[in-house]
Amino acid sequence: MRDTRLDRRALVAEILDRRGDAAVVAGLGSPAWDCHAAGDSPLNFYFWGAMGGAAMLGLGVALAQPARRVLVVTGDAEMLMGVGSLAAIAAQAPSNLALLVLDNEAFGETGRQAGLTGRNTDIAAIARGAGIDAAFTVGGENDEGAAGTDFDALADTLFATEGPVLCVAKIALSAESGSFPPRDGALLQARFRAALAGD
């Protein structure tokens, strides 16, 4: 069987290249490093801790900024840690919110142990069960073809389709060099807030 898993860093760079003025919330670890490597922006908020919180912060930003698209970029383990957020997102149903879950089927930040999504856990199915109808997988053997791996089509889905939208991207387990955003939480919060306010 052909390996159709995607290159994580290339995927994030291609998607963020099409972001326009969207706000991006990056989950801790590789998602934050990939978003930073794609180009730092005051409209990026990077998590350095609080695993499981990225989707809920994205929900809050989307509700507070209904005219702005919000993209959460997070990992499979973080999404599972905050899986209850999917029910809250479905209940609030913000039309401007999308989530990109980078799924390497491993616990990449703690030693690359086999993760749960490589066995029988399907995050897109969990999202649909929570009430997020536009939830699908790209890459890997369970590619549902909702946007294929065409980056333009996927970016259109993430940035222009009425949300909430959740895409699980099956990515290769890789070891790109770190691209570390600022670690100062107060700085990140202040500049993100100012950028959202248009200051």
Side-chain angles (χ1 to χ4, degrees):
M1 184 184 323
R2 187 172 66 91
D3 187 352
T4 58
R5 290 174 294 180
L6 306 171
D7 179 278
R8 187 190 85 216
R9 186 152 289 179
L11 170 67
V12 172
E14 290 280 357
I15 295 301
L16 293 189
D17 189 52
R18 296 156 170 82
R19 70 185 286 180
D21 68 348
V24 174
V25 175
L28 76 164
S30 296
W33 306 338
D34 293 339
C35 289
H36 186 260
D40 189 27
S41 168
L43 282 170
N44 289 359
F45 185 85
Y46 307 101
F47 268 74
W48 277 99
M51 186 170 179
M56 287 305 288
L57 178 62
L59 172 60
V61 174
L63 293 175
Q65 295 265 317
R68 185 187 300 276
R69 192 65 173 196
V70 179
L71 175 66
V72 174
V73 182
T74 190
D76 52 303
E78 179 173 10
M79 190 69 259
L80 288 174
M81 183 170 279
V83 73
S85 64
L86 297 175
I89 288 167
Q92 294 293 322
S95 63
N96 59 327
L97 179 62
L99 297 93
L100 176 61
V101 181
L102 305 175
D103 183 4
N104 60 12
E105 301 181 354
F107 299 124
E109 304 306 320
T110 61
R112 299 178 167 220
Q113 304 92 338
L116 301 173
T117 56
R119 297 178 185 177
N120 57 0
T121 300
D122 183 335
I123 294 173
I126 293 170
R128 287 191 295 271
I132 300 174
D133 294 331
F136 57 93
T137 299
V138 297
E141 61 186 60
N142 295 320
D143 192 319
E144 296 155 357
T149 52
D150 178 314
F151 290 137
D152 286 323
L154 182 55
D156 283 346
T157 300
L158 293 172
F159 292 123
T161 299
E162 184 169 346
V165 173
L166 180 140
C167 171
V168 175
K170 291 290 187 175
I171 57 168
L173 186 60
S174 57
E176 286 84 357
S177 59
S179 179
F180 303 116
R183 293 178 188 239
D184 185 333
L187 168 68
L188 291 171
Q189 180 269 343
R191 74 172 198 166
F192 188 61
R193 185 173 184 175
L196 290 175
D199 296 340

